[in-house]
Amino acid sequence: ILTILGNSAVLAAAVRRSTLLKSPELLTVNLAVADIGMAISMYPLAIASAWNHAWLGGDASCIYYALLGFLFGVCSMMTLCAMAVIRFLVTNSSKSNSNKITKNTVCILITFIWLYSLFWAILPLVGWGYYGPEPFGISCTIAWSKFHNSSNGFSFILSMFLLCTVLPALTIVACYLGIAWKVHKAYQEIQNIDRIPHAAKLEKKLTLMAVLISVGFLSSWMPYAAASFWSIFNSSNSLQPIVTLLPCLFAKSSTAYNPFIYYIFSKTFRHEIKQLQCCCGWRVPFFSTDSSGENPLSMMWSG
């Protein structure tokens, strides 16, 4: 519910100001699409299976669930990687160079992200890698246990781990470390000035927001990754069902965090939520905005 409502609000805000969206903001929209897509296409089946105490639909629905989970998961990871790279380029480039990151460029990048994610998701369907049920039996994913039982599974999981997890994660960390160093040097240069320029404050806030989005996603998936890699080298039966179930649920919660981060850091998003409240007649105390003036044209996520 939180995922669908929160990311629907993000998409509604993006539609309302579609003509004002900056090119990097399209990646935020893409991330919201991946999150809400996962919630709508996967979560109802997992919830129904939980109530049934067993997986529903047999092998066909298991492959469907695992494929979509892999597709949206890789898409989210690569979108976060692209966000980090663009933030790094914007931070370390002059204004004239940063303007070269056009909407067409970002749209091409988003298309590549989806094709790249789809490519990896369909590989198990054509014979490289496997999909299978989770150890606790009410959801499906990549068959991690095939790592040590099959050379096919070994090569797929190793390649996927390097190209869809390690490389994007290292890129994200490297980009934000580079940004942090750049911002630190910039603040050192202006430390004797009484008033820090608004642009520098905005840059710092946008960077912090992007970092929190990435940290939220990566930290949500870390317990699941740890349980999965235990299954690679050990029997799945060596772990209690609750030990494999909780990391899986925690990983799924990653789709609900981002709208709250946007609400805290983006005046534009708060403004749009207020407008949606007025249009829909909502009266939600959590979404009340402060009394300070807001610029509705301020950026939701861009340099």
Side-chain angles (χ1 to χ4, degrees):
I1 292 173
L2 288 175
T3 296
I4 292 175
L5 291 180
N7 287 286
S8 294
V10 173
L11 295 178
V15 170
R16 284 176 56 88
R17 47 187 309 274
S18 57
T19 58
L20 302 174
L21 284 177
K22 306 299 181 181
S23 52
E25 289 182 277
L26 296 177
L27 290 171
T28 303
V29 174
N30 190 57
L31 191 59
V33 169
D35 288 344
I36 201 172
M38 182 178 288
I40 292 175
S41 64
M42 296 172 57
Y43 294 178
L45 183 56
I47 293 170
S49 297
W51 282 104
N52 187 55
H53 301 284
W55 181 251
L56 295 174
D59 292 340
S61 63
C62 185
I63 293 175
Y64 157 83
Y65 185 94
L67 185 147
L68 289 181
F70 195 20
L71 171 66
F72 290 126
V74 174
C75 180
S76 296
M77 185 66 167
M78 299 309 297
T79 300
L80 291 172
C81 182
M83 290 167 67
V85 171
I86 289 181
R87 289 294 308 143
F88 179 80
L89 294 177
V90 169
T91 303
N92 290 273
S93 302
S94 62
K95 185 175 181 180
S96 59
N97 290 331
S98 62
N99 289 336
K100 293 180 181 179
I101 304 176
T102 63
K103 284 188 177 182
N104 287 336
T105 302
V106 176
C107 286
I108 293 173
L109 179 59
I110 290 174
T111 302
F112 171 78
I113 288 172
W114 280 102
L115 291 176
Y116 184 82
S117 304
L118 182 62
F119 169 76
W120 281 99
I122 64 176
L123 284 178
L125 301 182
V126 297
W128 193 30
Y130 309 92
Y131 288 132
E134 300 269 17
F136 50 86
I138 56 172
S139 69
C140 296
T141 185
I142 298 168
W144 300 99
S145 61
K146 297 289 185 180
F147 185 91
H148 56 277
N149 295 334
S150 165
S151 58
N152 187 327
F154 174 88
S155 59
F156 172 75
I157 291 176
L158 184 62
S159 301
M160 181 274 298
F161 175 66
L162 292 175
L163 298 178
C164 298
T165 305
V166 174
L167 185 59
L170 290 178
T171 302
I172 291 171
V173 172
C175 286
Y176 287 132
L177 286 177
I179 293 171
W181 176 253
K182 178 73 174 181
V183 172
H184 172 69
K185 296 297 290 184
Y187 269 71
Q188 278 189 330
E189 293 175 0
I190 60 177
Q191 63 181 351
N192 294 325
I193 301 177
D194 294 334
R195 188 169 182 269
I196 298 175
H198 175 71
K201 294 180 180 178
L202 179 61
E203 184 69 28
K204 185 177 180 180
K205 180 163 53 171
L206 292 173
T207 299
L208 180 58
M209 183 176 76
V211 168
L212 288 176
I213 292 170
S214 298
V215 169
F217 180 86
L218 294 175
S219 60
S220 297
W221 283 90
M222 279 182 183
Y224 181 76
S228 298
F229 275 89
W230 176 269
S231 299
I232 289 176
F233 300 104
N234 302 274
S235 171
S236 299
N237 296 328
S238 62
L239 294 176
Q240 293 294 322
I242 193 68
V243 177
T244 55
L245 174 60
L246 291 180
C248 184
L249 295 178
F250 191 50
K252 287 179 171 60
S253 72
S254 65
T255 58
Y257 301 150
N258 293 340
F260 293 94
I261 298 175
Y262 303 147
Y263 186 83
I264 293 171
F265 287 91
S266 173
K267 288 185 177 180
T268 299
F269 187 54
R270 291 199 297 272
H271 175 82
E272 292 298 338
I273 289 295
K274 184 177 180 180
Q275 294 299 316
L276 288 172
Q277 286 179 249
C278 295
C279 293
C280 301
W282 296 346
R283 291 295 183 268
V284 184
F286 174 77
F287 285 127
S288 61
T289 55
D290 55 19
S291 59
S292 60
E294 294 180 349
N295 177 11
L297 302 182
S298 62
M299 292 171 285
M300 177 169 66
W301 194 97
S302 69

PDB file of all heavy atoms in Angstrom, residues 31-61:
ATOM      1  N   LEU A  31      12.575   5.161 -11.681  1.00  0.00           N
ATOM      2  CA  LEU A  31      12.695   4.397 -10.440  1.00  0.00           C
ATOM      3  C   LEU A  31      11.321   4.172  -9.816  1.00  0.00           C
ATOM      4  O   LEU A  31      11.023   3.082  -9.310  1.00  0.00           O
ATOM      5  CB  LEU A  31      13.617   5.135  -9.469  1.00  0.00           C
ATOM      6  CG  LEU A  31      14.071   4.379  -8.223  1.00  0.00           C
ATOM      7  CD1 LEU A  31      14.829   3.112  -8.598  1.00  0.00           C
ATOM      8  CD2 LEU A  31      14.952   5.276  -7.350  1.00  0.00           C
ATOM      9  N   ALA A  32      10.464   5.192  -9.865  1.00  0.00           N
ATOM     10  CA  ALA A  32       9.108   5.054  -9.331  1.00  0.00           C
ATOM     11  C   ALA A  32       8.304   4.039 -10.142  1.00  0.00           C
ATOM     12  O   ALA A  32       7.525   3.257  -9.580  1.00  0.00           O
ATOM     13  CB  ALA A  32       8.403   6.409  -9.323  1.00  0.00           C
ATOM     14  N   VAL A  33       8.497   4.032 -11.466  1.00  0.00           N
ATOM     15  CA  VAL A  33       7.800   3.066 -12.329  1.00  0.00           C
ATOM     16  C   VAL A  33       8.221   1.642 -11.976  1.00  0.00           C
ATOM     17  O   VAL A  33       7.382   0.733 -11.868  1.00  0.00           O
ATOM     18  CB  VAL A  33       8.091   3.362 -13.810  1.00  0.00           C
ATOM     19  CG1 VAL A  33       7.596   2.218 -14.695  1.00  0.00           C
ATOM     20  CG2 VAL A  33       7.436   4.673 -14.236  1.00  0.00           C
ATOM     21  N   ALA A  34       9.522   1.433 -11.776  1.00  0.00           N
ATOM     22  CA  ALA A  34      10.013   0.096 -11.418  1.00  0.00           C
ATOM     23  C   ALA A  34       9.461  -0.343 -10.060  1.00  0.00           C
ATOM     24  O   ALA A  34       9.046  -1.506  -9.890  1.00  0.00           O
ATOM     25  CB  ALA A  34      11.541   0.090 -11.400  1.00  0.00           C
ATOM     26  N   ASP A  35       9.428   0.574  -9.105  1.00  0.00           N
ATOM     27  CA  ASP A  35       8.936   0.231  -7.768  1.00  0.00           C
ATOM     28  C   ASP A  35       7.455  -0.110  -7.779  1.00  0.00           C
ATOM     29  O   ASP A  35       7.024  -1.107  -7.189  1.00  0.00           O
ATOM     30  CB  ASP A  35       9.194   1.392  -6.795  1.00  0.00           C
ATOM     31  CG  ASP A  35      10.664   1.539  -6.442  1.00  0.00           C
ATOM     32  OD1 ASP A  35      11.424   0.589  -6.695  1.00  0.00           O
ATOM     33  OD2 ASP A  35      11.055   2.602  -5.924  1.00  0.00           O
ATOM     34  N   ILE A  36       6.664   0.712  -8.463  1.00  0.00           N
ATOM     35  CA  ILE A  36       5.220   0.460  -8.473  1.00  0.00           C
ATOM     36  C   ILE A  36       4.898  -0.754  -9.342  1.00  0.00           C
ATOM     37  O   ILE A  36       3.950  -1.498  -9.077  1.00  0.00           O
ATOM     38  CB  ILE A  36       4.461   1.724  -8.948  1.00  0.00           C
ATOM     39  CG1 ILE A  36       3.003   1.660  -8.480  1.00  0.00           C
ATOM     40  CG2 ILE A  36       4.530   1.896 -10.455  1.00  0.00           C
ATOM     41  CD1 ILE A  36       2.235   2.951  -8.733  1.00  0.00           C
ATOM     42  N   GLY A  37       5.714  -0.986 -10.383  1.00  0.00           N
ATOM     43  CA  GLY A  37       5.522  -2.171 -11.207  1.00  0.00           C
ATOM     44  C   GLY A  37       5.742  -3.442 -10.411  1.00  0.00           C
ATOM     45  O   GLY A  37       4.991  -4.421 -10.544  1.00  0.00           O
ATOM     46  N   MET A  38       6.766  -3.433  -9.564  1.00  0.00           N
ATOM     47  CA  MET A  38       7.038  -4.588  -8.716  1.00  0.00           C
ATOM     48  C   MET A  38       5.894  -4.823  -7.740  1.00  0.00           C
ATOM     49  O   MET A  38       5.454  -5.971  -7.534  1.00  0.00           O
ATOM     50  CB  MET A  38       8.349  -4.377  -7.956  1.00  0.00           C
ATOM     51  CG  MET A  38       8.749  -5.544  -7.072  1.00  0.00           C
ATOM     52  SD  MET A  38      10.338  -5.289  -6.229  1.00  0.00           S
ATOM     53  CE  MET A  38      11.486  -5.446  -7.595  1.00  0.00           C
ATOM     54  N   ALA A  39       5.388  -3.763  -7.143  1.00  0.00           N
ATOM     55  CA  ALA A  39       4.320  -3.902  -6.152  1.00  0.00           C
ATOM     56  C   ALA A  39       3.036  -4.435  -6.770  1.00  0.00           C
ATOM     57  O   ALA A  39       2.362  -5.299  -6.195  1.00  0.00           O
ATOM     58  CB  ALA A  39       4.056  -2.552  -5.483  1.00  0.00           C
ATOM     59  N   ILE A  40       2.692  -3.946  -7.962  1.00  0.00           N
ATOM     60  CA  ILE A  40       1.426  -4.335  -8.583  1.00  0.00           C
ATOM     61  C   ILE A  40       1.494  -5.746  -9.172  1.00  0.00           C
ATOM     62  O   ILE A  40       0.564  -6.541  -9.033  1.00  0.00           O
ATOM     63  CB  ILE A  40       1.035  -3.316  -9.677  1.00  0.00           C
ATOM     64  CG1 ILE A  40       0.682  -1.965  -9.025  1.00  0.00           C
ATOM     65  CG2 ILE A  40      -0.143  -3.830 -10.497  1.00  0.00           C
ATOM     66  CD1 ILE A  40       0.409  -0.862 -10.022  1.00  0.00           C
ATOM     67  N   SER A  41       2.605  -6.069  -9.823  1.00  0.00           N
ATOM     68  CA  SER A  41       2.686  -7.333 -10.560  1.00  0.00           C
ATOM     69  C   SER A  41       3.109  -8.515  -9.703  1.00  0.00           C
ATOM     70  O   SER A  41       2.825  -9.666 -10.053  1.00  0.00           O
ATOM     71  CB  SER A  41       3.675  -7.184 -11.725  1.00  0.00           C
ATOM     72  OG  SER A  41       4.994  -6.939 -11.243  1.00  0.00           O
ATOM     73  N   MET A  42       3.764  -8.260  -8.555  1.00  0.00           N
ATOM     74  CA  MET A  42       4.331  -9.362  -7.773  1.00  0.00           C
ATOM     75  C   MET A  42       3.712  -9.525  -6.395  1.00  0.00           C
ATOM     76  O   MET A  42       3.384 -10.638  -5.979  1.00  0.00           O
ATOM     77  CB  MET A  42       5.841  -9.149  -7.618  1.00  0.00           C
ATOM     78  CG  MET A  42       6.630  -9.175  -8.908  1.00  0.00           C
ATOM     79  SD  MET A  42       8.338  -8.689  -8.621  1.00  0.00           S
ATOM     80  CE  MET A  42       8.840  -9.879  -7.376  1.00  0.00           C
ATOM     81  N   TYR A  43       3.545  -8.442  -5.664  1.00  0.00           N
ATOM     82  CA  TYR A  43       3.177  -8.545  -4.255  1.00  0.00           C
ATOM     83  C   TYR A  43       1.835  -9.241  -4.015  1.00  0.00           C
ATOM     84  O   TYR A  43       1.716 -10.021  -3.067  1.00  0.00           O
ATOM     85  CB  TYR A  43       3.185  -7.166  -3.601  1.00  0.00           C
ATOM     86  CG  TYR A  43       4.563  -6.532  -3.511  1.00  0.00           C
ATOM     87  CD1 TYR A  43       4.745  -5.259  -2.988  1.00  0.00           C
ATOM     88  CD2 TYR A  43       5.691  -7.206  -3.958  1.00  0.00           C
ATOM     89  CE1 TYR A  43       6.003  -4.679  -2.906  1.00  0.00           C
ATOM     90  CE2 TYR A  43       6.942  -6.636  -3.887  1.00  0.00           C
ATOM     91  CZ  TYR A  43       7.099  -5.367  -3.357  1.00  0.00           C
ATOM     92  OH  TYR A  43       8.347  -4.812  -3.288  1.00  0.00           O
ATOM     93  N   PRO A  44       0.789  -8.991  -4.836  1.00  0.00           N
ATOM     94  CA  PRO A  44      -0.480  -9.691  -4.577  1.00  0.00           C
ATOM     95  C   PRO A  44      -0.347 -11.213  -4.622  1.00  0.00           C
ATOM     96  O   PRO A  44      -0.951 -11.918  -3.804  1.00  0.00           O
ATOM     97  CB  PRO A  44      -1.390  -9.180  -5.704  1.00  0.00           C
ATOM     98  CG  PRO A  44      -0.830  -7.836  -6.042  1.00  0.00           C
ATOM     99  CD  PRO A  44       0.649  -7.985  -5.899  1.00  0.00           C
ATOM    100  N   LEU A  45       0.468 -11.715  -5.568  1.00  0.00           N
ATOM    101  CA  LEU A  45       0.651 -13.164  -5.673  1.00  0.00           C
ATOM    102  C   LEU A  45       1.394 -13.711  -4.457  1.00  0.00           C
ATOM    103  O   LEU A  45       1.050 -14.784  -3.939  1.00  0.00           O
ATOM    104  CB  LEU A  45       1.421 -13.492  -6.957  1.00  0.00           C
ATOM    105  CG  LEU A  45       1.640 -14.976  -7.275  1.00  0.00           C
ATOM    106  CD1 LEU A  45       0.316 -15.722  -7.320  1.00  0.00           C
ATOM    107  CD2 LEU A  45       2.381 -15.125  -8.593  1.00  0.00           C
ATOM    108  N   ALA A  46       2.400 -12.986  -3.984  1.00  0.00           N
ATOM    109  CA  ALA A  46       3.131 -13.426  -2.797  1.00  0.00           C
ATOM    110  C   ALA A  46       2.243 -13.389  -1.559  1.00  0.00           C
ATOM    111  O   ALA A  46       2.302 -14.286  -0.701  1.00  0.00           O
ATOM    112  CB  ALA A  46       4.369 -12.546  -2.589  1.00  0.00           C
ATOM    113  N   ILE A  47       1.407 -12.365  -1.448  1.00  0.00           N
ATOM    114  CA  ILE A  47       0.503 -12.260  -0.290  1.00  0.00           C
ATOM    115  C   ILE A  47      -0.510 -13.409  -0.307  1.00  0.00           C
ATOM    116  O   ILE A  47      -0.781 -14.049   0.719  1.00  0.00           O
ATOM    117  CB  ILE A  47      -0.216 -10.897  -0.295  1.00  0.00           C
ATOM    118  CG1 ILE A  47       0.795  -9.771  -0.052  1.00  0.00           C
ATOM    119  CG2 ILE A  47      -1.312 -10.859   0.760  1.00  0.00           C
ATOM    120  CD1 ILE A  47       0.241  -8.382  -0.277  1.00  0.00           C
ATOM    121  N   ALA A  48      -1.076 -13.677  -1.491  1.00  0.00           N
ATOM    122  CA  ALA A  48      -2.042 -14.779  -1.605  1.00  0.00           C
ATOM    123  C   ALA A  48      -1.387 -16.118  -1.264  1.00  0.00           C
ATOM    124  O   ALA A  48      -1.994 -16.965  -0.597  1.00  0.00           O
ATOM    125  CB  ALA A  48      -2.621 -14.816  -3.016  1.00  0.00           C
ATOM    126  N   SER A  49      -0.142 -16.306  -1.696  1.00  0.00           N
ATOM    127  CA  SER A  49       0.573 -17.544  -1.385  1.00  0.00           C
ATOM    128  C   SER A  49       0.840 -17.658   0.112  1.00  0.00           C
ATOM    129  O   SER A  49       0.790 -18.754   0.685  1.00  0.00           O
ATOM    130  CB  SER A  49       1.895 -17.601  -2.165  1.00  0.00           C
ATOM    131  OG  SER A  49       1.663 -17.639  -3.557  1.00  0.00           O
ATOM    132  N   ALA A  50       1.117 -16.529   0.751  1.00  0.00           N
ATOM    133  CA  ALA A  50       1.347 -16.549   2.201  1.00  0.00           C
ATOM    134  C   ALA A  50       0.078 -16.973   2.938  1.00  0.00           C
ATOM    135  O   ALA A  50       0.133 -17.772   3.882  1.00  0.00           O
ATOM    136  CB  ALA A  50       1.817 -15.173   2.673  1.00  0.00           C
ATOM    137  N   TRP A  51      -1.062 -16.444   2.518  1.00  0.00           N
ATOM    138  CA  TRP A  51      -2.323 -16.843   3.140  1.00  0.00           C
ATOM    139  C   TRP A  51      -2.623 -18.314   2.870  1.00  0.00           C
ATOM    140  O   TRP A  51      -3.267 -18.989   3.680  1.00  0.00           O
ATOM    141  CB  TRP A  51      -3.475 -15.971   2.625  1.00  0.00           C
ATOM    142  CG  TRP A  51      -3.534 -14.620   3.260  1.00  0.00           C
ATOM    143  CD1 TRP A  51      -3.151 -13.431   2.727  1.00  0.00           C
ATOM    144  CD2 TRP A  51      -3.999 -14.320   4.578  1.00  0.00           C
ATOM    145  NE1 TRP A  51      -3.331 -12.410   3.617  1.00  0.00           N
ATOM    146  CE2 TRP A  51      -3.866 -12.920   4.767  1.00  0.00           C
ATOM    147  CE3 TRP A  51      -4.509 -15.088   5.614  1.00  0.00           C
ATOM    148  CZ2 TRP A  51      -4.221 -12.280   5.935  1.00  0.00           C
ATOM    149  CZ3 TRP A  51      -4.879 -14.447   6.796  1.00  0.00           C
ATOM    150  CH2 TRP A  51      -4.733 -13.065   6.941  1.00  0.00           C
ATOM    151  N   ASN A  52      -2.170 -18.805   1.710  1.00  0.00           N
ATOM    152  CA  ASN A  52      -2.404 -20.204   1.336  1.00  0.00           C
ATOM    153  C   ASN A  52      -1.402 -21.159   1.996  1.00  0.00           C
ATOM    154  O   ASN A  52      -1.571 -22.372   1.941  1.00  0.00           O
ATOM    155  CB  ASN A  52      -2.315 -20.338  -0.191  1.00  0.00           C
ATOM    156  CG  ASN A  52      -2.715 -21.702  -0.703  1.00  0.00           C
ATOM    157  OD1 ASN A  52      -3.811 -22.177  -0.421  1.00  0.00           O
ATOM    158  ND2 ASN A  52      -1.827 -22.347  -1.444  1.00  0.00           N
ATOM    159  N   HIS A  53      -0.343 -20.585   2.590  1.00  0.00           N
ATOM    160  CA  HIS A  53       0.727 -21.375   3.205  1.00  0.00           C
ATOM    161  C   HIS A  53       1.482 -22.225   2.188  1.00  0.00           C
ATOM    162  O   HIS A  53       2.165 -23.180   2.569  1.00  0.00           O
ATOM    163  CB  HIS A  53       0.195 -22.273   4.332  1.00  0.00           C
ATOM    164  CG  HIS A  53      -0.466 -21.506   5.421  1.00  0.00           C
ATOM    165  ND1 HIS A  53       0.225 -20.791   6.368  1.00  0.00           N
ATOM    166  CD2 HIS A  53      -1.795 -21.341   5.718  1.00  0.00           C
ATOM    167  CE1 HIS A  53      -0.623 -20.215   7.210  1.00  0.00           C
ATOM    168  NE2 HIS A  53      -1.846 -20.528   6.828  1.00  0.00           N
ATOM    169  N   ALA A  54       1.366 -21.896   0.920  1.00  0.00           N
ATOM    170  CA  ALA A  54       2.082 -22.609  -0.141  1.00  0.00           C
ATOM    171  C   ALA A  54       1.989 -21.778  -1.409  1.00  0.00           C
ATOM    172  O   ALA A  54       1.073 -20.958  -1.575  1.00  0.00           O
ATOM    173  CB  ALA A  54       1.491 -23.990  -0.378  1.00  0.00           C
ATOM    174  N   TRP A  55       2.936 -21.978  -2.301  1.00  0.00           N
ATOM    175  CA  TRP A  55       2.969 -21.198  -3.543  1.00  0.00           C
ATOM    176  C   TRP A  55       1.776 -21.540  -4.424  1.00  0.00           C
ATOM    177  O   TRP A  55       1.407 -22.716  -4.586  1.00  0.00           O
ATOM    178  CB  TRP A  55       4.268 -21.463  -4.307  1.00  0.00           C
ATOM    179  CG  TRP A  55       4.363 -20.661  -5.572  1.00  0.00           C
ATOM    180  CD1 TRP A  55       4.267 -21.107  -6.844  1.00  0.00           C
ATOM    181  CD2 TRP A  55       4.552 -19.242  -5.658  1.00  0.00           C
ATOM    182  NE1 TRP A  55       4.382 -20.065  -7.726  1.00  0.00           N
ATOM    183  CE2 TRP A  55       4.557 -18.908  -7.026  1.00  0.00           C
ATOM    184  CE3 TRP A  55       4.705 -18.224  -4.705  1.00  0.00           C
ATOM    185  CZ2 TRP A  55       4.720 -17.605  -7.480  1.00  0.00           C
ATOM    186  CZ3 TRP A  55       4.861 -16.927  -5.154  1.00  0.00           C
ATOM    187  CH2 TRP A  55       4.886 -16.625  -6.512  1.00  0.00           C
ATOM    188  N   LEU A  56       1.160 -20.508  -5.016  1.00  0.00           N
ATOM    189  CA  LEU A  56      -0.006 -20.687  -5.878  1.00  0.00           C
ATOM    190  C   LEU A  56       0.407 -20.697  -7.350  1.00  0.00           C
ATOM    191  O   LEU A  56       1.262 -19.924  -7.768  1.00  0.00           O
ATOM    192  CB  LEU A  56      -1.014 -19.553  -5.652  1.00  0.00           C
ATOM    193  CG  LEU A  56      -1.667 -19.481  -4.270  1.00  0.00           C
ATOM    194  CD1 LEU A  56      -2.529 -18.226  -4.171  1.00  0.00           C
ATOM    195  CD2 LEU A  56      -2.516 -20.717  -4.021  1.00  0.00           C
ATOM    196  N   GLY A  57      -0.194 -21.563  -8.132  1.00  0.00           N
ATOM    197  CA  GLY A  57      -0.034 -21.495  -9.582  1.00  0.00           C
ATOM    198  C   GLY A  57       0.998 -22.403 -10.183  1.00  0.00           C
ATOM    199  O   GLY A  57       1.088 -22.506 -11.406  1.00  0.00           O
ATOM    200  N   GLY A  58       1.817 -23.031  -9.390  1.00  0.00           N
ATOM    201  CA  GLY A  58       2.777 -23.973  -9.944  1.00  0.00           C
ATOM    202  C   GLY A  58       3.985 -23.318 -10.580  1.00  0.00           C
ATOM    203  O   GLY A  58       4.342 -22.165 -10.288  1.00  0.00           O
ATOM    204  N   ASP A  59       4.611 -24.042 -11.502  1.00  0.00           N
ATOM    205  CA  ASP A  59       5.872 -23.597 -12.098  1.00  0.00           C
ATOM    206  C   ASP A  59       5.710 -22.334 -12.939  1.00  0.00           C
ATOM    207  O   ASP A  59       6.588 -21.477 -12.961  1.00  0.00           O
ATOM    208  CB  ASP A  59       6.462 -24.711 -12.963  1.00  0.00           C
ATOM    209  CG  ASP A  59       6.920 -25.904 -12.141  1.00  0.00           C
ATOM    210  OD1 ASP A  59       7.130 -25.724 -10.921  1.00  0.00           O
ATOM    211  OD2 ASP A  59       7.060 -26.998 -12.707  1.00  0.00           O
ATOM    212  N   ALA A  60       4.595 -22.215 -13.656  1.00  0.00           N
ATOM    213  CA  ALA A  60       4.398 -21.066 -14.546  1.00  0.00           C
ATOM    214  C   ALA A  60       4.383 -19.755 -13.752  1.00  0.00           C
ATOM    215  O   ALA A  60       5.052 -18.781 -14.122  1.00  0.00           O
ATOM    216  CB  ALA A  60       3.105 -21.226 -15.335  1.00  0.00           C
ATOM    217  N   SER A  61       3.609 -19.727 -12.682  1.00  0.00           N
ATOM    218  CA  SER A  61       3.543 -18.501 -11.881  1.00  0.00           C
ATOM    219  C   SER A  61       4.859 -18.259 -11.149  1.00  0.00           C
ATOM    220  O   SER A  61       5.237 -17.099 -10.892  1.00  0.00           O
ATOM    221  CB  SER A  61       2.391 -18.582 -10.869  1.00  0.00           C
ATOM    222  OG  SER A  61       2.605 -19.627  -9.943  1.00  0.00           O
TER     223      SER A  61
END
